[in-house]
Amino acid sequence: MPKDTFFNLPDEKRQRVIDAAIDEFAERSFHEARVTAIAEGAGIAMGSFYQYFEDKKDLFKYIIELIVKEKLAYINQDMMANMQNYGFFQLLREIYSRGLRFAKERPRLLAIGLSLTNNEALYHEVYGDHVQTSDDFFRKLLAKGIADGDLDPTIDPILVARLLTMLNYALADFVYEDGKLDLDDMEIIDKMLNLIENGIKNRAAALGGC
Amino acid sequence: MPKDTFFNLPDEKRQRVIDAAIDEFAERSFHEARVTAIAEGAGIAMGSFYQYFEDKKDLFKYIIELIVKEKLAYINQDMMANMQNYGFFQLLREIYSRGLRFAKERPRLLAIGLSLTNNEALYHEVYGDHVQTSDDFFRKLLAKGIADGDLDPTIDPILVARLLTMLNYALADFVYEDGKLDLDDMEIIDKMLNLIENGIKNRAAALGGC
DNA sequence: GATTCATATGAAGCTCCATTCACATGATAT
DNA sequence: ATATCATGTGAATGGAGCTTCATATGAATC
């Protein structure tokens, strides 16, 4: 947790520190990121940095906290409230589309988030035990989908939840590689959803008899 | 490229160096990995290390080269030769199952490979341009599957290739988290394939009329 | 205007490594 | 046995970067 001195800072200066930190952590892993670069980027003295934070990790945890808050704001806004009104695939479409928007609008935040998932030790230190994972969320969604009759009841919710999470990551990945795919965002999402909904098997032959 | 002195080493000693390097790179990112730990692990003097390698990166690239060779051996063996005899989903099942076996039998190699995909700069330095990606491979497979009539011809092969790659990663991920899923390997793979083949929509209702 | 308190500063101090160096060792050739 | 060559060694060297420290600045209070 940053010290009081940090929160007492004028908004503009505090924001400069946050921005500089996001820049550095987005470019380099936690271990590679340099406190000196952050201080310089924010236009503060090295000594000041340690007036504001215990150490580098203290700042990093704070930044992660901000990212989580912001991401949840993107995903959650009103959606959970109206959850009952939508079918499974509508909800999934909404989740993916909001996740993609977050990735496009805050690519540096996305990069930091991804870098954290690649560092297990740090990940646990940041989140402790109460890891409200993306998996948990999808599991609940799947349970509801099965209960509502939208989904094949024989699927394994734990496995599928993980797969949906991974596909969500895949989506974010496309953002980094512009031009790889000549599609607009909703088109990508709809094609992904089509895979999730129907698979990729050729049904034309099989359904001939219907 | 390691120096001649390295390749002139007795096999046993050369292997000790390779093993020590794999241990260290599997535990820590390239940047965090310590030459001192590798030298100590291999039972050689620091000076010797620099008789064998230009620097830390020289060794790292060599290790990656070994990993790629070994992984290809797992995946490729005879399979590509018999490709024509199998349908798309049989091939995919085979690929996933071999990938999973590699992950289970060589978890440290898997970890190093994953860590490399998380470091774009290093990744490009190691592979240069001729990045024979997993994507390319799946694209060809998909093209064949469509040509053979196994797959829905309206899918987007580029997008789906990426999704199949990500699902392959997801599979490897499960290996790390034992117990999360109470299934044996082939069961996981078959459930994944079922998602890919048929999606997760509940067809019972829709097919009632058939 | 002196004291106190909070904050600012950048130059040390320190630790951790990668890399180098000056000096063995030991084999092979002369 | 001496010279030459390849290899081995671990103690310097040096740089990078986190953290601390001694000292300023400046506002608020007495």
Side-chain angles (χ1 to χ4, degrees), chain B residues 118-139:
Chain B
N118 299 141
N119 187 333
E120 197 153 357
L122 196 58
Y123 188 91
H124 279 105
E125 195 164 352
V126 169
Y127 287 126
D129 284 334
H130 67 95
V131 195
Q132 160 64 320
T133 55
S134 172
D135 268 26
D136 295 331
F137 177 80
F138 279 124
R139 279 181 209 169

Side-chain angles (χ1 to χ4, degrees), chain B residues 16-31:
Chain B
R16 277 203 331 261
V17 175
I18 292 172
D19 288 341
I22 289 175
D23 281 343
E24 181 70 3
F25 287 131
E27 288 298 324
R28 317 171 90 102
S29 71
F30 170 75
H31 188 260

